[in-house]
Amino acid sequence: MERQRVMERGEKAGVSSSSNGGGEVDVVVEMMDVIEAVGLYAGYRRTQRKECLNLVRRLKLLLPLLEEIKEIGNHKLVSSEGLKTSLDNLKKALLGAKKLLKKCSCGSKIYLAMESEAVMSSFHAVYEKLNLALDDLPYDELGISVEVKEQVELTRMQLKRAKKRSDTQDIELAMDMMVVFSKKDDRNADSAILERLAIKLELHAIPDLKAEEIAVRKLVKERGVQNAESIQQINDLLGKFKHIAGVDETIVLDGPFSSKSLQRCRSLLIPHEFLCPITLEIMADPVIVATGQTYERESIQKWLNSNHRTCPKTGQTLGHLSLASNFALRNLIQEWCEKNNYELPKKDSCLGSDGVSAELKEEISSLVQNLSSCEFEVRREAIKKIRMLAKENPDNRILIANYGGIPPLVQLLSYQDPNIQEHTVTALLNLSIDETNKILVAREGAIPAIVEILQHGTNEARENSAAALFSLSMLDENKVLIGASNGIRPLVHLLQNGTIRGKKDAATALFNLSLNQANKSRAIKAGVIPALLHLLEEKNLAMIDEALSIFLLLASHPEGRNEIGKLSFIKTLVEIIRNGTPKNKECALSVLLQLGLHNSSIILAALQYGVYEHLVELTKSGTNRAQRKANSILQHMSKYGHIP
């Protein structure tokens, strides 16, 4: 209750007491309430969590200052002419900080990830306002103690450093977002990125997904028809996250009612306890899990089959995975249905208790056995069918692994038949979309064999080997294994000489692997920089964004910066800034800024190639991100006296 009261006081602090006849002390108390309320915010979004916690810590350092001002009293404060204005400015700055922190505490996680750079700019604006407000206070006139003045000065120094800090963007997250939102080359393996994104954004548990849906609805109301495309992207991605978590329902934000939304409205008439917490639909076969919560059998089984070991509603770890039928609730539901003439959804009688047909289980078991057959044709057909089954849906991937399909497939990677190798590496690619299977495939020693096929297999086998390495490299330990297994060099070769699809597979895998510092060095030595430069020059490949994303990673490595400096790379960057698509320009500006922060001569070279006028133009007419990057580069230029 005390926590709630503090937060309510903080929320009401937006209405100035001084405007209603109160004194400066009242304003100080309001500011203290704001800081105390902000200290109670929780659940900061992962993309801004560090920045939020740092800001809260800095705000709390201001409490001793406010305490001393409060002790002075109204009768002394009114004699200070400029104090009222100074306090009002500080209050506005604190309210701006509170608004930003609240947004990062309960706003849409997907939106905050998409707009991470814009949000960072908001933090910088808050730092600037706080600094200016603190600078205006008449400390000597108020008689503020030396200790408190020193603490305020420390806070101001921290705020200045935070404002000057360059972007701390999560490159892996940014690349994943770019791949997921791209409408080109929609590959099945991208499901692995979705799983990684869901974990990174903390949107893999049912309660988090429900909270995100509420946040997205609120975002729609606030923004109306503005940014309609971005809102739709957020909506689509949230739907994919829900599907991964086993929640098969469409999110209807507004507009005409679909049949699904009408069904959902109708479900509001059903007693709440009769609805499955996962699907929010009436339960035909309710079962109890270890935490005592009840779910529809098919829904919770699907959740468990996706390797979740927590209760969707409570988030608690399940002590066991047994499901007990809730006969009492089933009888109540049936009685209610009879009384209200409501027909329960029909269930497929052929499905087992885990939602999988006995026929499919038998087929997969037989196929796994056939992988070890002495007959070539039997073995080849088994691999082909497993490849297709693993592509179709997540449940099949888990079943194939549970029936022991991964070890014989890994052994078949070394089978001296190009056709067998091609089907096998593709089957393992599809299986590796599942997070647990990534571990199993690597543990069975598949990575060296996949690298071998990448070097010597058929064109399709090489492409799918690159995609498999990308999927496996989602796990950090596998990044190390692939690098140590000499997997970087053949990927660079594929990037140089492969088909368009092969180049895309190689680029995505190299990006993932280059998140590891040792692999950056391996990629540079393998000749990745000339290969990437070629991608920038070949406009018809449409891989400029992918190439620049890898360049951005390599630019953080000393060897990478030295190698890039030897090429006509800066000229190419300036050309992209001049004539590229809006997204191309954003990426090129990011790379130029990263290089320029470490070497001012690169900025000078860019100026010689005529970048200045394009930077000025982008600060006025570029995308939001391009404007921020262009301004940062111009500020850096002025720092070293490079502005014409």
Side-chain angles (χ1 to χ4, degrees):
M1 286 297 293
E2 180 59 29
R3 173 189 171 108
Q4 183 64 31
R5 281 196 293 271
V6 170
M7 293 190 76
E8 285 174 358
R9 288 203 307 271
E11 294 293 329
K12 291 175 181 176
V15 180
S16 174
S17 295
S18 58
S19 65
N20 294 321
E24 274 67 41
V25 168
D26 296 320
V27 178
V28 173
V29 171
E30 288 175 7
M31 288 192 281
M32 293 173 70
D33 285 344
V34 168
I35 294 174
E36 195 171 353
V38 159
L40 296 176
Y41 284 162
Y44 290 119
R45 300 337 190 192
R46 185 171 177 174
T47 41
Q48 288 82 25
R49 188 171 296 156
K50 184 178 178 181
E51 207 69 34
C52 289
L53 294 174
N54 284 339
L55 177 55
V56 171
R57 178 173 51 78
R58 291 168 188 137
L59 294 180
K60 287 181 178 178
L61 289 174
L62 299 179
L63 284 172
L65 170 67
L66 297 175
E67 285 282 2
E68 285 203 7
I69 296 175
K70 176 185 169 187
E71 291 301 317
I72 294 172
N74 276 330
H75 62 287
K76 292 183 180 179
L77 291 178
V78 292
S79 63
S80 178
E81 288 292 332
L83 182 61
K84 182 180 184 302
T85 301
S86 297
L87 290 177
D88 283 344
N89 288 338
L90 182 56
K91 179 183 170 184
K92 287 176 184 176
L94 288 173
L95 288 172
K98 181 179 78 70
K99 183 179 179 181
L100 179 58
L101 289 166
K102 185 176 181 181
K103 178 180 179 180
C104 294
S105 174
C106 57
S108 163
K109 294 178 179 179
I110 300 174
Y111 175 78
L112 288 169
M114 285 178 69
E115 298 294 330
S116 58
E117 291 189 58
V119 177
M120 182 57 72
S121 293
S122 298
F123 275 101
H124 288 174
V126 165
Y127 300 153
E128 179 72 19
K129 289 177 182 177
L130 284 169
N131 235 324
L132 289 172
L134 291 171
D135 188 43
D136 281 345
L137 284 173
Y139 299 97
D140 293 335
E141 186 179 335
L142 291 170
I144 301 300
S145 66
V146 175
E147 292 83 358
V148 171
K149 283 168 68 176
E150 288 176 349
Q151 191 162 322
V152 172
E153 188 55 34
L154 172 64
T155 304
R156 292 190 62 207
M157 286 174 59
Q158 290 179 348
L159 290 169
K160 285 178 181 177
R161 279 202 303 267
K163 186 176 183 299
K164 289 178 181 177
R165 187 173 58 242
S166 60
D167 287 342
T168 54
Q169 186 182 20
D170 185 333
I171 301 298
E172 183 183 60
L173 177 66
M175 184 69 169
D176 286 349
M177 297 284 278
M178 184 178 77
V179 172
V180 166
F181 288 136
S182 173
K183 293 175 181 173
K184 301 176 184 175
D185 195 25
D186 186 18
R187 293 177 63 101
N188 196 348
D190 285 353
S191 298
I193 301 178
L194 285 170
E195 292 175 11
R196 179 166 72 180
L197 260 181
I199 292 169
K200 266 192 170 264
L201 297 180
E202 297 173 342
L203 287 172
H204 50 95
I206 300 296
D208 292 330
L209 289 165
K210 297 294 183 187
E212 178 69 6
E213 184 175 344
I214 293 169
V216 172
R217 290 179 186 276
K218 186 176 179 182
L219 184 66
V220 173
K221 288 180 181 177
E222 289 174 352
R223 294 188 159 258
V225 295
Q226 294 178 347
N227 299 80
E229 186 177 352
S230 296
I231 295 292
Q232 190 57 50
Q233 285 181 322
I234 294 170
N235 185 29
D236 292 343
L237 184 55
L238 177 55
K240 291 174 183 176
F241 287 159
K242 297 186 96 171
H243 180 72
I244 289 172
V247 184
D248 291 323
E249 62 177 62
T250 303
I251 305 161
V252 183
L253 294 177
D254 54 16
F257 284 110
S258 65
S259 58
K260 183 70 174 177
S261 63
L262 285 171
Q263 255 186 353
R264 307 273 294 139
C265 292
R266 188 180 173 190
S267 70
L268 297 175
L269 304 173
I270 302 169
H272 180 72
E273 60 272 19
F274 293 175
L275 302 176
C276 173
I278 296 176
T279 63
L280 296 182
E281 293 179 357
I282 192 166
M283 293 181 280
D285 187 9
V287 293
I288 304 170
V289 298
T291 58
Q293 298 293 327
T294 297
Y295 300 91
E296 174 63 35
R297 184 185 295 276
E298 187 178 335
S299 299
I300 191 62
Q301 192 64 60
K302 188 170 184 179
W303 169 265
L304 298 175
N305 288 346
S306 298
N307 294 314
H308 294 101
R309 295 297 178 262
T310 55
C311 174
K313 191 171 183 180
T314 66
Q316 294 174 270
T317 300
L318 296 170
H320 59 80
L321 304 183
S322 301
L323 304 176
S325 294
N326 191 335
F327 294 112
L329 182 58
R330 185 194 293 178
N331 291 336
L332 287 173
I333 291 173
Q334 288 174 347
E335 288 176 10
W336 182 87
C337 288
E338 289 174 9
K339 183 178 178 181
N340 292 275
N341 196 27
Y342 188 94
E343 187 176 348
L344 282 171
K346 293 284 191 297
K347 301 294 178 181
D348 190 341
S349 59
C350 297
L351 296 180
S353 60
D354 56 0
V356 180
S357 71
E359 185 181 351
L360 178 59
K361 290 180 180 178
E362 187 178 341
E363 180 186 7
I364 289 175
S365 176
S366 176
L367 288 171
V368 170
Q369 290 178 27
N370 288 345
L371 291 175
S372 304
S373 173
C374 298
E375 297 181 33
F376 176 80
E377 282 302 322
V378 171
R379 186 179 290 187
R380 187 176 68 171
E381 284 303 309
I383 300 169
K384 287 172 65 177
K385 287 182 179 176
I386 285 177
R387 168 183 174 174
M388 296 310 298
L389 285 170
K391 183 179 181 180
E392 286 174 3
N393 63 62
D395 293 340
N396 289 352
R397 293 171 204 134
I398 295 166
L399 277 174
I400 292 166
N402 289 346
Y403 277 94
I406 290 177
L409 283 170
V410 172
Q411 291 174 13
L412 286 166
L413 287 171
S414 304
Y415 196 90
Q416 294 305 306
D417 179 86
N419 194 256
I420 289 283
Q421 288 183 349
E422 182 183 309
H423 288 305
T424 303
V425 77
T426 309
L428 287 169
L429 161 62
N430 293 335
L431 286 169
S432 70
I433 294 171
D434 179 82
E435 199 73 15
T436 302
N437 288 351
K438 286 178 179 29
I439 300 170
L440 297 176
V441 170
R443 190 181 293 163
E444 289 296 324
I447 288 174
I450 293 173
V451 171
E452 181 70 21
I453 295 173
L454 177 62
Q455 290 175 308
H456 305 295
T458 64
N459 283 340
E460 186 172 350
R462 292 171 66 218
E463 291 167 358
N464 289 340
S465 294
L469 291 178
F470 162 66
S471 179
L472 292 170
S473 66
M474 294 290 180
L475 302 182
D476 288 340
E477 57 267 34
N478 288 349
K479 289 182 178 70
V480 176
L481 276 174
I482 293 166
S485 301
N486 300 315
I488 305 288
R489 191 169 292 277
L491 284 170
V492 172
H493 185 267
L494 184 62
L495 187 68
Q496 291 170 317
N497 304 297
T499 63
I500 291 179
R501 178 178 161 183
K503 290 177 188 290
K504 286 182 179 290
D505 288 329
T508 317
L510 285 166
F511 172 84
N512 230 25
L513 291 166
S514 295
L515 292 165
N516 175 276
Q517 193 73 355
N519 285 340
K520 289 177 187 176
S521 180
R522 292 186 177 108
I524 293 162
K525 288 172 182 173
V528 73
I529 290 176
L532 291 171
L533 191 62
H534 179 69
L535 293 184
L536 296 182
E537 293 167 351
E538 289 292 325
K539 305 291 192 299
N540 61 312
L541 291 175
M543 291 183 62
I544 291 176
D545 293 340
E546 289 89 338
L548 288 174
S549 296
I550 300 173
F551 267 125
L552 188 57
L553 286 178
L554 300 178
S556 67
H557 193 283
E559 290 179 47
R561 289 194 294 275
N562 291 337
E563 185 71 19
I564 291 169
K566 295 175 184 176
L567 303 170
S568 59
F569 182 59
I570 307 305
K571 183 178 181 180
T572 303
L573 274 185
V574 174
E575 180 65 26
I576 294 169
I577 291 169
R578 180 188 296 120
N579 298 319
T581 67
K583 184 67 176 176
N584 293 163
K585 291 178 181 181
E586 290 177 5
C587 293
L589 288 166
S590 297
V591 177
L592 182 59
L593 179 60
Q594 178 71 17
L595 292 171
L597 289 172
H598 291 88
N599 187 348
S600 61
S601 64
I602 287 176
I603 295 292
L604 188 58
L607 280 169
Q608 291 172 345
Y609 287 121
V611 77
Y612 179 75
E613 62 184 58
H614 305 299
L615 291 175
V616 173
E617 178 62 28
L618 284 170
T619 61
K620 300 173 183 175
S621 60
T623 64
N624 288 339
R625 186 183 178 210
Q627 287 180 19
R628 290 191 297 273
K629 293 295 182 185
N631 275 315
S632 296
I633 295 172
L634 288 171
Q635 287 173 15
H636 191 64
M637 286 177 173
S638 64
K639 180 180 177 182
Y640 289 96
H642 291 331
I643 294 290

